[in-house]
Amino acid sequence: MFKPLDINENTGKKGNEPVDAERVKCLIIGSGPAGYTAAIYAARANLSPVMYEGLQPGGQLTTTTEVENYPGYPEGVTGPVMMEDLKKQAQRFGTDVRWGMATEVDFSGDVHKVWIDETKLIEAETVIIATGATAKYLGLEDEKKYAGGGVSACATCDGFFYRGKDVAVVGGGDTAAEEAMYLAGLCNKVYLIVRRDELRASKVMAERAMKTPNIEILWKHQTKGLFGNGVVEGATLVKNLGEQDEEEVTIKIDGFFLAIGHKPNSDIFKPYLDTDEVGYIKTVPGTSKTKVPGVFACGDVQDPVYRQAVTAAGSGCMAAIDAERYLSEKHG
Ligand code: NDP
């Protein structure tokens, strides 16, 4: 949550701590495909971008294995290698990539203030927010145990590896319905694990999922754990029979897909920017502009619909071009 720091405007000190301030033309927060693409374009436009990588350098893609749907890699590439390539490309043109996380912002003035790790103050003429979104997990130990071994939060990224196999999708919203249908086109069978007796998904999507012959909906089921020798071979579920009665069920699966929502990493910006009810930053349609001049958003933090590496990269390019145009209009 937003927690104002006690910064003394006159002394530039936080409480009694000295604040180390630095002025930059373009600050990029976040280092996924959106952030790095913004950096490549901003650096080539002489904006001397400074990037803070955030908690998960490289972003969500570093948690995937093979990426096969990003144009330009005919043989596929692993997520970490692709992010390392993007980083090198951004650095080649002079992007200053740094460790650190933005912990507070002040977008009330003409120059935008961003605090890094609660101590370092950056004063930026333009800020490009590329902080991404984080997929929600159930919080089971087994999700960590089988990370990269059958557990995924992105069917579009990883579904291909489960062709002809049986998989499960957890969730009852539009994402779960969409991912279940996508997987149904590739896999032998898809279990859709739904904790209630109805889907939250829109009527059209819910009906489509229910009519798909190789999707079996397991109503009122919750996941207790996963099992398998090194990789997922099955899941143990608990079926709610009502009246506090329940039954344990096991299913044999090779892939376990989470689709219980994403959380955009936008909390620190909320006092200054508009967000939707989930927290996605609102931008002027067809641009990366937020409601604050000089502050731009790109990638998953502002995209509830597509959330792909390539769309994130495209919107990062838009943000850098918008930032460059903003600066040239400002300075003439
Ligand atoms: P939602 O928040 O809409 O749905 C999350 C689902 O996960 C719900 O069914 C919820 O169950 C379930 N869930 C949450 N926590 C748990 C848990 N711990 N255990 C089991 N189940 C759980 O998220 P979505 O990602 O599906 O959608 C987000 C937004 O994006 C929505 O507005 C959606 O309409 C939109 N969207 C639109 C698409 C499209 O139009 N093509 C595609 C994808 C998303 P419960 O229902 O019981 O709360």
PDB file of all heavy atoms in Angstrom, residues 138 171-175 178 195-196 200 222 259-261, ligand 1:
ATOM      1  N   LEU A 138      -2.179 -20.533  -5.785  1.00  0.00           N
ATOM      2  CA  LEU A 138      -3.039 -20.963  -4.680  1.00  0.00           C
ATOM      3  C   LEU A 138      -2.333 -20.864  -3.333  1.00  0.00           C
ATOM      4  O   LEU A 138      -2.971 -20.778  -2.296  1.00  0.00           O
ATOM      5  CB  LEU A 138      -3.485 -22.419  -4.901  1.00  0.00           C
ATOM      6  CG  LEU A 138      -4.381 -22.657  -6.118  1.00  0.00           C
ATOM      7  CD1 LEU A 138      -4.518 -24.158  -6.386  1.00  0.00           C
ATOM      8  CD2 LEU A 138      -5.748 -22.035  -5.909  1.00  0.00           C
ATOM      9  N   GLY A 171      -9.659 -22.417 -11.774  1.00  0.00           N
ATOM     10  CA  GLY A 171     -10.274 -21.089 -11.882  1.00  0.00           C
ATOM     11  C   GLY A 171     -11.608 -21.173 -12.577  1.00  0.00           C
ATOM     12  O   GLY A 171     -11.900 -22.166 -13.253  1.00  0.00           O
ATOM     13  N   GLY A 172     -12.394 -20.121 -12.411  1.00  0.00           N
ATOM     14  CA  GLY A 172     -13.730 -20.141 -13.021  1.00  0.00           C
ATOM     15  C   GLY A 172     -14.045 -18.857 -13.756  1.00  0.00           C
ATOM     16  O   GLY A 172     -15.185 -18.615 -14.152  1.00  0.00           O
ATOM     17  N   GLY A 173     -13.032 -18.014 -13.974  1.00  0.00           N
ATOM     18  CA  GLY A 173     -13.255 -16.739 -14.661  1.00  0.00           C
ATOM     19  C   GLY A 173     -13.007 -16.856 -16.160  1.00  0.00           C
ATOM     20  O   GLY A 173     -12.824 -17.954 -16.692  1.00  0.00           O
ATOM     21  N   ASP A 174     -12.999 -15.699 -16.828  1.00  0.00           N
ATOM     22  CA  ASP A 174     -12.775 -15.697 -18.282  1.00  0.00           C
ATOM     23  C   ASP A 174     -11.412 -16.263 -18.646  1.00  0.00           C
ATOM     24  O   ASP A 174     -11.265 -16.954 -19.646  1.00  0.00           O
ATOM     25  CB  ASP A 174     -12.884 -14.261 -18.825  1.00  0.00           C
ATOM     26  CG  ASP A 174     -14.331 -13.849 -19.015  1.00  0.00           C
ATOM     27  OD1 ASP A 174     -15.136 -14.713 -19.411  1.00  0.00           O
ATOM     28  OD2 ASP A 174     -14.649 -12.680 -18.767  1.00  0.00           O
ATOM     29  N   THR A 175     -10.395 -15.962 -17.827  1.00  0.00           N
ATOM     30  CA  THR A 175      -9.060 -16.493 -18.123  1.00  0.00           C
ATOM     31  C   THR A 175      -9.076 -18.010 -18.075  1.00  0.00           C
ATOM     32  O   THR A 175      -8.566 -18.686 -18.977  1.00  0.00           O
ATOM     33  CB  THR A 175      -8.008 -15.949 -17.134  1.00  0.00           C
ATOM     34  OG1 THR A 175      -8.019 -14.533 -17.202  1.00  0.00           O
ATOM     35  CG2 THR A 175      -6.616 -16.454 -17.443  1.00  0.00           C
ATOM     36  N   GLU A 178     -10.973 -19.389 -21.050  1.00  0.00           N
ATOM     37  CA  GLU A 178     -10.212 -19.194 -22.287  1.00  0.00           C
ATOM     38  C   GLU A 178      -9.018 -20.165 -22.352  1.00  0.00           C
ATOM     39  O   GLU A 178      -8.763 -20.789 -23.379  1.00  0.00           O
ATOM     40  CB  GLU A 178      -9.718 -17.750 -22.311  1.00  0.00           C
ATOM     41  CG  GLU A 178      -9.304 -17.259 -23.660  1.00  0.00           C
ATOM     42  CD  GLU A 178      -9.071 -15.754 -23.625  1.00  0.00           C
ATOM     43  OE1 GLU A 178      -8.091 -15.307 -23.000  1.00  0.00           O
ATOM     44  OE2 GLU A 178      -9.882 -15.028 -24.201  1.00  0.00           O
ATOM     45  N   ARG A 195     -14.095 -23.861  -7.856  1.00  0.00           N
ATOM     46  CA  ARG A 195     -14.376 -24.037  -6.421  1.00  0.00           C
ATOM     47  C   ARG A 195     -15.852 -23.874  -6.057  1.00  0.00           C
ATOM     48  O   ARG A 195     -16.286 -24.296  -5.000  1.00  0.00           O
ATOM     49  CB  ARG A 195     -13.509 -23.087  -5.596  1.00  0.00           C
ATOM     50  CG  ARG A 195     -13.810 -21.622  -5.766  1.00  0.00           C
ATOM     51  CD  ARG A 195     -12.921 -20.792  -4.848  1.00  0.00           C
ATOM     52  NE  ARG A 195     -13.046 -19.374  -5.146  1.00  0.00           N
ATOM     53  CZ  ARG A 195     -12.339 -18.438  -4.546  1.00  0.00           C
ATOM     54  NH1 ARG A 195     -11.442 -18.775  -3.635  1.00  0.00           N
ATOM     55  NH2 ARG A 195     -12.497 -17.168  -4.872  1.00  0.00           N
ATOM     56  N   ARG A 196     -16.605 -23.194  -6.935  1.00  0.00           N
ATOM     57  CA  ARG A 196     -18.047 -23.053  -6.649  1.00  0.00           C
ATOM     58  C   ARG A 196     -18.847 -23.930  -7.619  1.00  0.00           C
ATOM     59  O   ARG A 196     -18.265 -24.706  -8.376  1.00  0.00           O
ATOM     60  CB  ARG A 196     -18.466 -21.594  -6.809  1.00  0.00           C
ATOM     61  CG  ARG A 196     -17.880 -20.708  -5.722  1.00  0.00           C
ATOM     62  CD  ARG A 196     -18.413 -19.299  -5.802  1.00  0.00           C
ATOM     63  NE  ARG A 196     -18.020 -18.607  -7.021  1.00  0.00           N
ATOM     64  CZ  ARG A 196     -18.827 -17.860  -7.758  1.00  0.00           C
ATOM     65  NH1 ARG A 196     -20.093 -17.741  -7.431  1.00  0.00           N
ATOM     66  NH2 ARG A 196     -18.385 -17.241  -8.838  1.00  0.00           N
ATOM     67  N   ARG A 200     -17.555 -17.864 -12.992  1.00  0.00           N
ATOM     68  CA  ARG A 200     -17.606 -16.404 -12.965  1.00  0.00           C
ATOM     69  C   ARG A 200     -17.487 -15.838 -14.385  1.00  0.00           C
ATOM     70  O   ARG A 200     -17.859 -14.696 -14.642  1.00  0.00           O
ATOM     71  CB  ARG A 200     -16.442 -15.895 -12.111  1.00  0.00           C
ATOM     72  CG  ARG A 200     -16.305 -14.409 -12.032  1.00  0.00           C
ATOM     73  CD  ARG A 200     -15.052 -14.052 -11.258  1.00  0.00           C
ATOM     74  NE  ARG A 200     -15.179 -14.450  -9.855  1.00  0.00           N
ATOM     75  CZ  ARG A 200     -15.723 -13.699  -8.911  1.00  0.00           C
ATOM     76  NH1 ARG A 200     -16.189 -12.512  -9.208  1.00  0.00           N
ATOM     77  NH2 ARG A 200     -15.806 -14.112  -7.666  1.00  0.00           N
ATOM     78  N   GLN A 222     -11.555 -28.200  -4.870  1.00  0.00           N
ATOM     79  CA  GLN A 222     -10.383 -27.376  -4.560  1.00  0.00           C
ATOM     80  C   GLN A 222      -9.153 -28.276  -4.576  1.00  0.00           C
ATOM     81  O   GLN A 222      -9.252 -29.469  -4.272  1.00  0.00           O
ATOM     82  CB  GLN A 222     -10.525 -26.742  -3.187  1.00  0.00           C
ATOM     83  CG  GLN A 222     -11.762 -25.885  -3.089  1.00  0.00           C
ATOM     84  CD  GLN A 222     -11.463 -24.502  -2.543  1.00  0.00           C
ATOM     85  OE1 GLN A 222     -10.501 -23.852  -2.948  1.00  0.00           O
ATOM     86  NE2 GLN A 222     -12.274 -24.059  -1.619  1.00  0.00           N
ATOM     87  N   ALA A 259      -5.223 -20.294 -13.225  1.00  0.00           N
ATOM     88  CA  ALA A 259      -5.886 -19.193 -13.949  1.00  0.00           C
ATOM     89  C   ALA A 259      -6.851 -18.522 -12.988  1.00  0.00           C
ATOM     90  O   ALA A 259      -8.044 -18.402 -13.242  1.00  0.00           O
ATOM     91  CB  ALA A 259      -6.614 -19.740 -15.182  1.00  0.00           C
ATOM     92  N   ILE A 260      -6.303 -18.122 -11.838  1.00  0.00           N
ATOM     93  CA  ILE A 260      -7.173 -17.535 -10.804  1.00  0.00           C
ATOM     94  C   ILE A 260      -6.953 -16.021 -10.704  1.00  0.00           C
ATOM     95  O   ILE A 260      -7.262 -15.414  -9.699  1.00  0.00           O
ATOM     96  CB  ILE A 260      -6.970 -18.226  -9.433  1.00  0.00           C
ATOM     97  CG1 ILE A 260      -5.513 -18.114  -8.958  1.00  0.00           C
ATOM     98  CG2 ILE A 260      -7.394 -19.680  -9.496  1.00  0.00           C
ATOM     99  CD1 ILE A 260      -5.312 -18.579  -7.521  1.00  0.00           C
ATOM    100  N   GLY A 261      -6.435 -15.446 -11.758  1.00  0.00           N
ATOM    101  CA  GLY A 261      -6.293 -13.992 -11.815  1.00  0.00           C
ATOM    102  C   GLY A 261      -4.853 -13.520 -11.729  1.00  0.00           C
ATOM    103  O   GLY A 261      -3.951 -14.286 -11.382  1.00  0.00           O
TER     104      GLY A 261
HETATM  105  P1  NDP B   1     -11.299 -13.362 -12.253  1.00  0.00           P
HETATM  106  O1  NDP B   1     -10.976 -12.627 -11.001  1.00  0.00           O
HETATM  107  O2  NDP B   1     -12.413 -12.904 -13.099  1.00  0.00           O
HETATM  108  O3  NDP B   1     -11.588 -14.876 -11.891  1.00  0.00           O
HETATM  109  C1  NDP B   1     -10.771 -15.583 -11.021  1.00  0.00           C
HETATM  110  C2  NDP B   1     -11.361 -16.984 -10.869  1.00  0.00           C
HETATM  111  O4  NDP B   1     -10.466 -17.738 -10.068  1.00  0.00           O
HETATM  112  C3  NDP B   1     -12.715 -17.008 -10.203  1.00  0.00           C
HETATM  113  O5  NDP B   1     -13.540 -17.992 -10.778  1.00  0.00           O
HETATM  114  C4  NDP B   1     -12.375 -17.375  -8.764  1.00  0.00           C
HETATM  115  O6  NDP B   1     -13.367 -18.124  -8.127  1.00  0.00           O
HETATM  116  C5  NDP B   1     -11.181 -18.277  -8.978  1.00  0.00           C
HETATM  117  N1  NDP B   1     -10.322 -18.271  -7.809  1.00  0.00           N
HETATM  118  C6  NDP B   1      -9.734 -17.211  -7.207  1.00  0.00           C
HETATM  119  N2  NDP B   1      -8.999 -17.614  -6.150  1.00  0.00           N
HETATM  120  C7  NDP B   1      -9.129 -18.955  -6.094  1.00  0.00           C
HETATM  121  C8  NDP B   1      -8.623 -19.947  -5.230  1.00  0.00           C
HETATM  122  N3  NDP B   1      -7.815 -19.646  -4.207  1.00  0.00           N
HETATM  123  N4  NDP B   1      -8.958 -21.242  -5.455  1.00  0.00           N
HETATM  124  C9  NDP B   1      -9.756 -21.580  -6.491  1.00  0.00           C
HETATM  125  N5  NDP B   1     -10.290 -20.686  -7.339  1.00  0.00           N
HETATM  126  C10 NDP B   1      -9.973 -19.388  -7.149  1.00  0.00           C
HETATM  127  O7  NDP B   1      -9.891 -13.409 -13.067  1.00  0.00           O
HETATM  128  P2  NDP B   1      -9.632 -13.657 -14.616  1.00  0.00           P
HETATM  129  O8  NDP B   1      -8.155 -13.663 -14.772  1.00  0.00           O
HETATM  130  O9  NDP B   1     -10.384 -14.812 -15.106  1.00  0.00           O
HETATM  131  O10 NDP B   1     -10.185 -12.366 -15.322  1.00  0.00           O
HETATM  132  C11 NDP B   1      -9.715 -11.064 -14.960  1.00  0.00           C
HETATM  133  C12 NDP B   1     -10.437 -10.001 -15.812  1.00  0.00           C
HETATM  134  O11 NDP B   1     -10.011 -10.105 -17.167  1.00  0.00           O
HETATM  135  C13 NDP B   1     -11.948 -10.217 -15.830  1.00  0.00           C
HETATM  136  O12 NDP B   1     -12.545  -8.961 -15.849  1.00  0.00           O
HETATM  137  C14 NDP B   1     -12.186 -10.944 -17.118  1.00  0.00           C
HETATM  138  O13 NDP B   1     -13.491 -10.729 -17.619  1.00  0.00           O
HETATM  139  C15 NDP B   1     -11.113 -10.333 -18.022  1.00  0.00           C
HETATM  140  N6  NDP B   1     -10.746 -11.272 -19.080  1.00  0.00           N
HETATM  141  C16 NDP B   1     -11.376 -11.159 -20.276  1.00  0.00           C
HETATM  142  C17 NDP B   1     -11.081 -12.020 -21.298  1.00  0.00           C
HETATM  143  C18 NDP B   1     -11.791 -11.871 -22.587  1.00  0.00           C
HETATM  144  O14 NDP B   1     -12.711 -11.086 -22.648  1.00  0.00           O
HETATM  145  N7  NDP B   1     -11.395 -12.583 -23.608  1.00  0.00           N
HETATM  146  C19 NDP B   1     -10.079 -13.087 -21.159  1.00  0.00           C
HETATM  147  C20 NDP B   1      -9.482 -13.130 -19.856  1.00  0.00           C
HETATM  148  C21 NDP B   1      -9.821 -12.250 -18.868  1.00  0.00           C
HETATM  149  P3  NDP B   1     -14.767 -17.450  -7.658  1.00  0.00           P
HETATM  150  O15 NDP B   1     -15.549 -17.266  -8.915  1.00  0.00           O
HETATM  151  O16 NDP B   1     -15.321 -18.472  -6.740  1.00  0.00           O
HETATM  152  O17 NDP B   1     -14.402 -16.170  -6.970  1.00  0.00           O
END
